Amino acid sequence: MQTDNAYAMRLMDRPEFASKPQPLTFSPDTLVTTAAQAMNERNFGSVVVVDPDNRVLGVATERDILRKVVARNVDAASLTLEEIMTRDPRVARETDEVIDWLRIMSNDRFRRLPVVDEQERIKAVFTQGDFVSYTWPDLIYQAKELAKASVGRNYPIWLIGGGIMLYSILMVIVVSAM
Protein backbone atom coordinates (compact mmCIF):
# COMPACT_ATOMS: atom_id res chain seq x y z
CA MET A 1 0.00 0.00 0.00
CA GLN A 2 1.41 3.37 -1.02
CA THR A 3 1.11 6.33 1.30
CA ASP A 4 0.53 9.90 0.13
CA ASN A 5 2.30 11.38 3.13
CA ALA A 6 6.00 11.56 2.27
CA TYR A 7 6.74 12.32 5.92
CA ALA A 8 5.31 8.99 7.06
CA MET A 9 6.61 6.75 4.29
CA ARG A 10 7.88 3.31 5.20
CA LEU A 11 10.93 1.85 3.47
CA MET A 12 8.76 -0.77 1.79
CA ASP A 13 6.55 2.00 0.33
CA ARG A 14 9.41 3.57 -1.61
CA PRO A 15 9.48 2.74 -5.33
CA GLU A 16 13.14 1.77 -4.94
CA PHE A 17 12.18 -1.03 -2.56
CA ALA A 18 10.18 -2.98 -5.14
CA SER A 19 12.58 -2.31 -8.00
CA LYS A 20 15.85 -3.09 -6.22
CA PRO A 21 17.66 -6.24 -7.29
CA GLN A 22 18.03 -8.97 -4.71
CA PRO A 23 20.98 -8.30 -2.40
CA LEU A 24 24.15 -10.22 -3.11
CA THR A 25 24.48 -12.59 -0.15
CA PHE A 26 27.18 -15.01 0.94
CA SER A 27 28.00 -17.15 3.94
CA PRO A 28 30.78 -16.02 6.31
CA ASP A 29 33.18 -18.72 5.04
CA THR A 30 33.07 -17.44 1.43
CA LEU A 31 36.45 -16.37 0.08
CA VAL A 32 36.90 -12.63 -0.46
CA THR A 33 37.92 -13.30 -4.09
CA THR A 34 34.62 -15.07 -4.76
CA ALA A 35 32.62 -12.19 -3.30
CA ALA A 36 34.73 -9.57 -5.11
CA GLN A 37 34.23 -11.32 -8.45
CA ALA A 38 30.46 -11.45 -7.90
CA MET A 39 30.43 -7.77 -6.88
CA ASN A 40 32.35 -6.90 -10.03
CA GLU A 41 30.07 -8.95 -12.30
CA ARG A 42 26.88 -7.43 -10.88
CA ASN A 43 28.31 -3.94 -10.29
CA PHE A 44 27.48 -4.07 -6.57
CA GLY A 45 29.40 -2.11 -3.94
CA SER A 46 28.80 -4.60 -1.16
CA VAL A 47 27.70 -8.07 -0.17
CA VAL A 48 25.58 -9.06 2.77
CA VAL A 49 26.96 -11.88 4.89
CA VAL A 50 24.12 -14.09 6.09
CA ASP A 51 23.52 -17.18 8.18
CA PRO A 52 21.77 -20.29 6.75
CA ASP A 53 18.37 -18.70 7.54
CA ASN A 54 19.28 -15.60 5.47
CA ARG A 55 19.65 -13.38 8.54
CA VAL A 56 22.23 -10.60 8.40
CA LEU A 57 25.55 -11.27 10.14
CA GLY A 58 27.61 -8.58 8.48
CA VAL A 59 28.34 -6.47 5.43
CA ALA A 60 31.50 -6.51 3.32
CA THR A 61 32.05 -3.50 1.07
CA GLU A 62 34.48 -2.40 -1.60
CA ARG A 63 36.05 -0.21 1.07
CA ASP A 64 36.56 -3.23 3.35
CA ILE A 65 38.35 -5.04 0.51
CA LEU A 66 40.48 -2.00 -0.24
CA ARG A 67 41.47 -1.31 3.38
CA LYS A 68 41.67 -4.80 4.83
CA VAL A 69 43.03 -6.70 1.84
CA VAL A 70 44.60 -4.52 -0.85
CA ALA A 71 46.19 -1.86 1.39
CA ARG A 72 47.66 -4.55 3.64
CA ASN A 73 48.85 -6.60 0.67
CA VAL A 74 47.00 -9.69 1.90
CA ASP A 75 46.07 -12.53 -0.47
CA ALA A 76 42.30 -12.24 -0.99
CA ALA A 77 42.15 -15.95 -1.85
CA SER A 78 43.26 -16.77 1.70
CA LEU A 79 40.69 -14.57 3.50
CA THR A 80 37.03 -15.19 4.17
CA LEU A 81 34.30 -12.60 4.34
CA GLU A 82 34.04 -13.24 8.08
CA GLU A 83 37.56 -11.87 8.47
CA ILE A 84 36.88 -8.54 6.74
CA MET A 85 33.15 -7.87 7.17
CA THR A 86 31.58 -5.25 9.39
CA ARG A 87 29.89 -7.35 12.03
CA ASP A 88 26.37 -6.74 13.32
CA PRO A 89 25.60 -3.78 11.07
CA ARG A 90 22.61 -1.56 11.68
CA VAL A 91 19.58 -3.10 9.97
CA ALA A 92 16.17 -1.62 9.28
CA ARG A 93 12.83 -3.30 9.15
CA GLU A 94 10.93 -2.85 5.91
CA THR A 95 8.16 -1.14 7.92
CA ASP A 96 10.51 1.51 9.38
CA GLU A 97 10.11 5.15 8.38
CA VAL A 98 12.34 6.50 5.61
CA ILE A 99 13.01 9.83 7.30
CA ASP A 100 14.24 8.13 10.48
CA TRP A 101 16.85 6.09 8.60
CA LEU A 102 17.84 9.03 6.43
CA ARG A 103 18.72 10.93 9.59
CA ILE A 104 20.46 7.95 11.27
CA MET A 105 22.59 7.15 8.21
CA SER A 106 23.61 10.77 7.87
CA ASN A 107 24.43 11.23 11.55
CA ASP A 108 26.21 7.89 12.00
CA ARG A 109 28.02 8.15 8.66
CA PHE A 110 27.28 4.80 7.06
CA ARG A 111 26.28 4.24 3.44
CA ARG A 112 24.53 0.90 3.25
CA LEU A 113 21.42 -0.17 5.12
CA PRO A 114 20.32 -3.80 5.03
CA VAL A 115 16.52 -3.99 5.20
CA VAL A 116 14.92 -7.09 6.74
CA ASP A 117 11.41 -8.50 7.01
CA GLU A 118 9.52 -9.52 10.15
CA GLN A 119 11.56 -12.74 10.41
CA GLU A 120 14.83 -10.74 10.20
CA ARG A 121 15.61 -12.11 6.70
CA ILE A 122 17.37 -9.81 4.26
CA LYS A 123 15.01 -8.18 1.74
CA ALA A 124 16.98 -5.27 0.26
CA VAL A 125 19.95 -3.00 0.77
CA PHE A 126 19.29 0.72 0.68
CA THR A 127 22.19 3.05 -0.04
CA GLN A 128 22.55 6.76 0.51
CA GLY A 129 21.85 7.17 -3.20
CA ASP A 130 18.43 5.57 -2.76
CA PHE A 131 17.54 8.33 -0.34
CA VAL A 132 18.47 11.14 -2.77
CA SER A 133 15.15 10.78 -4.60
CA TYR A 134 13.47 11.24 -1.24
CA THR A 135 15.40 14.34 -0.25
CA TRP A 136 14.73 16.42 -3.39
CA PRO A 137 10.93 16.44 -3.01
CA ASP A 138 11.43 17.09 0.69
CA LEU A 139 13.67 20.10 -0.02
CA ILE A 140 11.19 21.47 -2.56
CA TYR A 141 8.37 21.07 -0.02
CA GLN A 142 10.41 22.88 2.63
CA ALA A 143 11.20 25.74 0.23
CA LYS A 144 7.49 26.07 -0.60
CA GLU A 145 6.57 26.14 3.09
CA LEU A 146 9.26 28.74 3.80
CA ALA A 147 7.93 30.91 0.98
CA LYS A 148 4.39 30.63 2.37
CA ALA A 149 5.61 31.54 5.84
CA SER A 150 7.57 34.50 4.46
CA VAL A 151 4.54 35.88 2.62
CA GLY A 152 2.33 35.33 5.67
CA ARG A 153 4.83 36.93 8.02
CA ASN A 154 5.15 39.96 5.71
CA TYR A 155 1.41 40.27 5.09
CA PRO A 156 1.17 43.92 6.27
CA ILE A 157 3.96 44.91 3.86
CA TRP A 158 2.24 43.09 0.99
CA LEU A 159 -1.05 44.78 1.88
CA ILE A 160 0.48 48.27 1.96
CA GLY A 161 2.47 47.66 -1.24
CA GLY A 162 -0.60 46.27 -2.99
CA GLY A 163 -2.69 49.24 -1.85
CA ILE A 164 -0.11 51.72 -3.15
CA MET A 165 0.08 49.89 -6.48
CA LEU A 166 -3.73 49.78 -6.83
CA TYR A 167 -3.98 53.50 -5.94
CA SER A 168 -1.29 54.33 -8.52
CA ILE A 169 -3.06 52.39 -11.27
CA LEU A 170 -6.38 54.07 -10.46
CA MET A 171 -4.73 57.51 -10.47
CA VAL A 172 -3.18 56.82 -13.90
CA ILE A 173 -6.59 55.79 -15.25
CA VAL A 174 -8.33 58.83 -13.72
CA VAL A 175 -5.67 61.29 -14.94
CA SER A 176 -5.60 59.82 -18.45
CA ALA A 177 -9.40 59.96 -18.66
CA MET A 178 -9.36 63.77 -18.08
Side-chain angles (χ1 to χ4, degrees):
M1 180 171 120
Q2 294 274 342
T3 179
D4 292 333
N5 182 357
Y7 292 99
M9 186 173 286
R10 301 173 302 173
L11 290 168
M12 65 191 301
D13 294 330
R14 294 292 299 156
E16 296 87 359
F17 187 82
S19 66
K20 290 189 86 47
Q22 285 292 328
L24 194 52
T25 60
F26 289 101
S27 65
D29 60 349
T30 302
L31 293 176
V32 171
T33 52
T34 303
Q37 288 166 351
M39 290 165 64
N40 184 50
E41 288 169 10
R42 295 195 46 199
N43 197 27
F44 276 36
S46 65
V47 296
V48 180
V49 183
V50 295
D51 68 11
D53 293 322
N54 224 20
R55 291 184 176 92
V56 178
L57 299 173
V59 174
T61 66
E62 294 167 321
R63 181 176 280 191
D64 291 325
I65 295 170
L66 179 67
R67 289 183 173 178
K68 298 173 184 174
V69 181
V70 177
R72 294 180 182 164
N73 201 24
V74 178
D75 179 17
S78 67
L79 287 178
T80 63
L81 289 175
E82 186 171 31
E83 296 174 274
I84 69 160
M85 71 182 186
T86 300
R87 297 175 185 281
D88 302 316
R90 304 281 299 263
V91 295
R93 290 196 180 269
E94 58 191 352
T95 55
D96 288 350
E97 300 293 325
V98 170
I99 195 74
D100 294 337
W101 281 106
L102 178 62
R103 187 177 304 107
I104 292 167
M105 289 177 74
S106 178
N107 291 340
D108 292 353
R109 305 276 188 240
F110 62 96
R111 296 181 180 139
R112 290 174 177 82
L113 178 65
V115 181
V116 297
D117 63 14
E118 294 170 358
Q119 289 79 36
E120 302 288 325
R121 292 184 301 245
I122 186 71
K123 296 295 285 185
V125 176
F126 268 64
T127 65
Q128 285 179 334
D130 294 320
F131 288 104
V132 169
S133 65
Y134 180 81
T135 57
W136 277 111
D138 184 45
L139 290 172
I140 291 169
Y141 174 81
Q142 288 180 16
K144 183 176 76 172
E145 292 302 309
L146 284 171
K148 281 187 206 174
S150 177
V151 169
R153 182 178 53 230
N154 297 320
Y155 181 73
I157 295 169
W158 285 100
L159 190 61
I160 293 168
I164 292 170
M165 188 168 39
L166 181 61
Y167 176 79
S168 299
I169 291 170
L170 287 175
M171 290 310 294
V172 167
I173 292 171
V174 169
V175 170
S176 64
M178 296 175 126

